[in-house]
Amino acid sequence: MDNMDLTCGHFVNPFTDIGFKIIFGQPASKELLITLLNELLAGEHRIENLIFLDKENHSDSMADAGIIYDLYCLTDTGEYIIVEMQNRFHSSFLDRTLFYMCRAIGRQVENLREKRRKERELQTGKPETEEDFLLSEPMQENYGSRYKLSTVYGIFLMNFREPGLEEKFRTDTVIADRESGKVVNPHFRQIFLQFPYFTKELKDCETLYDKLIYTLKNMQHWNRMPDALKEQVFSRLEELAAVANLSLEDRIAYDKALDRYRVSRIVEEDAREAGWKKGLAEGRAEGRAEGRAEGLAEGLAEGQAKEKVAIARNLKSLGLSTAQIAQATGLTEEEVESTVNN
């Protein structure tokens, strides 16, 4: 096991639930989250401001307790952003991300009034009462207008390799025509980041985007920020993520989360080692079985060859021609000549 994975450095581990929320999920870290999102969406969309929404998406079904996002945000231009940090692989992970996205999209229609209130609050900078909102809310123009959706972005940071994705760090998905690749609906957008595939060293990180990803992957091992990280965003990150700066409540919660993280890594390593040993034992057993089978086949082939030689010599002694012997034994005429003359 790599002991670096379990060391406790100066900074919180962003791959723990509370560590990730300390870095990106509190009001004081909003600018840091905006910077990360803008780097992820560079050339596609730029966020100037956002607000944190209720992370719990309640279900209407008694059998479904609902879902809780790590971060759930609304931007100043009306986009919804789900940000999830997933530390360990679990089955049907991609299905869960799809469910999260669909739930957030569906809630826009189900909670249309609340959606508009939040959008107006973000634009004006102040909350509205229900009465103020009703007085200023225009009448619906037509039935179809209620289905006009805002874009939902799903950002999934993954500390594992997902078999359902390609073996690369970043995978971007959209709803597109299968043949042409043209985007059919722009309101569904997912970005998957598989951190085990990010292998750049700091000296190779030329963009702010690469530096941020490198920092998130490695910061839990550091006692201070590297000198190469000079941008202001890393000074802010250093302040927010320092374990020494946590409140007593957050420190207790973080220590518990870190312990769970360490245990999960130990369990994964033990399972991986057990699987390796089992595979090795099975491979050896299979190799021995194949060896026995190959030996038997070789012995049988050798015996058959010797039998053909003996028959060829007997037939030769009886005066048969080389062509007749070859036809009777299955040997070539060259093999017959070589056999009976030796």
Side-chain angles (χ1 to χ4, degrees), residues 244-315:
N245 291 342
L246 299 182
S247 66
L248 178 60
E249 181 181 2
D250 283 346
R251 181 57 191 268
I252 293 173
Y254 175 67
D255 286 343
K256 290 180 179 178
L258 187 61
D259 184 59
R260 291 193 299 270
Y261 172 82
R262 288 168 170 167
V263 169
S264 72
R265 295 304 296 272
I266 291 172
V267 170
E268 287 176 1
E269 290 291 342
D270 288 347
R272 190 177 297 114
E273 184 176 355
W276 179 82
K277 289 180 178 179
K278 180 180 179 182
L280 181 61
E282 291 177 351
R284 286 174 173 171
E286 184 178 347
R288 286 194 294 267
E290 288 180 354
R292 287 193 295 269
E294 289 176 2
L296 180 61
E298 289 176 2
L300 181 60
E302 184 178 351
Q304 290 174 339
K306 288 181 178 180
E307 183 180 2
K308 288 182 179 181
V309 169
I311 293 172
R313 286 175 177 169
N314 287 336
L315 295 175

Side-chain angles (χ1 to χ4, degrees), residues 89 103 125 141 264 288 297 299 327 338:
F89 167 81
R103 192 67 175 164
E141 296 179 1
S264 72
R288 286 194 294 267
Q327 185 177 4
S338 173

Side-chain angles (χ1 to χ4, degrees), residues 4 8 58 67 95 119 134 160 209 211:
M4 287 289 286
C8 182
H58 300 281
I67 56 179
D95 287 345
E119 289 173 348
L134 290 175
F160 63 92
Y209 170 74
K211 290 178 182 179

